[in-house]
């Protein structure tokens, strides 16, 4: 039985003082051991939010990380910086990073490997554009993203990765994939994990759905066979997040 994982992606929102307020408010409602709950916060908010959630069941997550250990990479954050600050999860390959910051399957692959080396749990994102969906190539495209993003990772390690299926047309648009649409792709992701890494890995790996998850649609989405929780953007910044976690 896979444990559900519900992660909030705060994106580029909340100054450190605002982040402390939000984390204090949410902590009251979402500190549970029934699901893994993660706050993925902007880099500057990691330390203060970490202080707020210390001693709770809520885990700290980052929104990105670089694939080198240290050095002349101005503006980047290393895996050791994250682990030293108490971070357990890191979102990698979010579509916004692919779209605006030239992230590719190759850089995502390097980051996933580096995160695993440091004991961080990568939340690796994948998902098609509206154009790709309309062309009927969603499954092919997502299968390729999974194979390339996880290339060279052992079956033992691949199960430590969390995959977030996020159709780009559903992110921040209020347009959610239906539970059947989401399940179809999450099932296909589990199938490709089985083909490449074996049936045992396919059964163990956790796959989230992301894209306008809210208090109304969470229960139906999370009830699907291959959906093990959600990556939540907009609604993770509101009290509504409690209804998603406690769906
Ligand atoms: C996201 O940021 O990963 C996301 C799914 O955003 P939203 O829930 O706002 O669509």
């Amino acid at each position: 039985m896979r444990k559900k994982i519900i992660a909030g992606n705060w994106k580029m929102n909340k100054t450190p003082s605002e982040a402390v307020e939000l984390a204090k408010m949410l902590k009251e409602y979402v500190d549970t051991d029934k699901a893994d709950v993660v706050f993925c916060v902007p880099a500057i908010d990691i330390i203060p939010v970490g202080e707020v959630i210390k001693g709770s069941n809520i885990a700290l997550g980052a929104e990105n990380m670089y694939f080198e250990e240290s050095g002349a990479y101005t503006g980047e954050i290393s895996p050791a910086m994250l682990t030293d600050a108490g971070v357990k999860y890191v979102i990698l390959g979010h579509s916004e990073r692919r779209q605006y910051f030239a992230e590719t399957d190759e850089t995502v692959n390097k980051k996933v490997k580096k995160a695993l080396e440091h004991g961080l749990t990568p939340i690796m994102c994948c998902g098609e554009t509206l154009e790709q969906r309309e062309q009927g190539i969603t499954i092919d495209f997502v299968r390729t993203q999974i194979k390339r993003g996880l290339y060279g990772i052992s079956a033992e390690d691949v199960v430590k990765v969390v995959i977030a299926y996020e159709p780009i047309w559903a992110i921040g648009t209020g347009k959610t994939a239906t539970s059947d649409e989401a399940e179809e792709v999450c099932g296909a992701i589990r199938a490709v994990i089985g083909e490449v890494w074996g049936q045992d890995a396919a059964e163990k790996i956790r796959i989230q759905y992301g894209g306008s998850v809210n208090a109304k649609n969470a229960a139906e989405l999370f009830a699907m066979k291959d959906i093990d929780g959600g990556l939540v953007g907009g609604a993770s910044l509101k009290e509504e997040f409690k209804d998603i976690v406690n769906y």
Side-chain angles (χ1 to χ4, degrees):
M1 186 69 181
R2 297 180 297 267
K3 193 174 186 185
K4 293 276 195 260
I5 172 164
I6 298 158
N9 173 15
W10 292 12
K11 310 198 187 198
M12 196 176 75
N13 294 295
K14 304 297 171 188
T15 64
S17 53
E18 290 167 348
V20 165
E21 288 313 304
L22 177 62
K24 279 185 183 162
M25 185 271 284
L26 291 176
K27 185 182 148 182
E28 295 302 311
Y29 304 116
V30 303
D31 184 7
T32 175
D33 57 7
K34 294 202 178 101
D36 288 335
V37 177
V38 190
F39 292 168
C40 297
V41 305
I44 198 164
D45 297 338
I46 286 172
I47 302 273
V49 169
E51 285 300 317
V52 175
I53 62 178
K54 201 181 264 175
S56 77
N57 290 302
I58 304 162
L60 196 54
E63 298 177 12
N64 184 34
M65 179 205 91
Y66 199 48
F67 53 73
E68 294 290 353
E69 292 290 338
S70 64
Y73 305 103
T74 303
E76 291 295 323
I77 304 275
S78 76
M81 290 172 188
L82 295 183
T83 54
D84 189 62
V87 169
K88 303 284 184 219
Y89 293 81
V90 57
I91 299 174
L92 296 173
H94 191 282
S95 63
E96 288 151 15
R97 294 214 57 87
R98 293 178 192 256
Q99 184 179 352
Y100 304 126
F101 304 100
E103 195 88 84
T104 64
D105 288 335
E106 287 67 35
T107 56
V108 172
N109 179 246
K110 287 184 183 176
K111 290 180 177 192
V112 170
K113 286 177 173 160
K114 188 53 79 175
L116 288 169
E117 250 178 59
H118 283 261
L120 286 158
T121 298
I123 299 178
M124 190 186 87
C125 302
C126 61
E128 81 287 2
T129 62
L130 184 58
E131 194 184 13
Q132 288 164 331
R133 176 157 284 265
E134 285 171 352
Q135 288 167 345
I137 59 169
T138 296
I139 303 286
D140 288 342
F141 180 74
V142 171
R143 280 175 58 92
T144 303
Q145 279 187 316
I146 297 295
K147 284 187 183 176
R148 295 170 93 168
L150 298 177
Y151 181 75
I153 294 170
S154 67
E156 190 190 332
D157 277 346
V158 90
V159 297
K160 298 174 189 161
V161 177
V162 174
I163 294 173
Y165 165 58
E166 300 206 304
I168 295 170
W169 48 272
I171 298 178
T173 58
K175 218 171 157 186
T176 318
T178 64
S179 47
D180 286 337
E181 283 170 337
E183 171 63 18
E184 184 194 9
V185 183
C186 291
I189 292 170
R190 203 173 297 289
V192 73
I193 297 291
E195 284 165 33
V196 181
W197 289 275
Q199 209 38 47
D200 187 50
E203 271 155 36
K204 284 190 182 139
I205 199 162
R206 294 191 290 178
I207 304 172
Q208 299 173 308
Y209 167 78
S212 298
V213 172
N214 59 41
K216 290 202 184 85
N217 58 31
E220 188 182 331
L221 286 160
F222 300 170
M224 302 309 283
K225 182 169 69 66
D226 290 303
I227 301 180
D228 305 311
L231 181 57
V232 185
S236 72
L237 299 167
K238 303 186 232 167
E239 203 180 314
E240 180 181 1
F241 191 57
K242 78 172 195 291
D243 298 319
I244 298 173
V245 170
N246 300 310
Y247 72 98

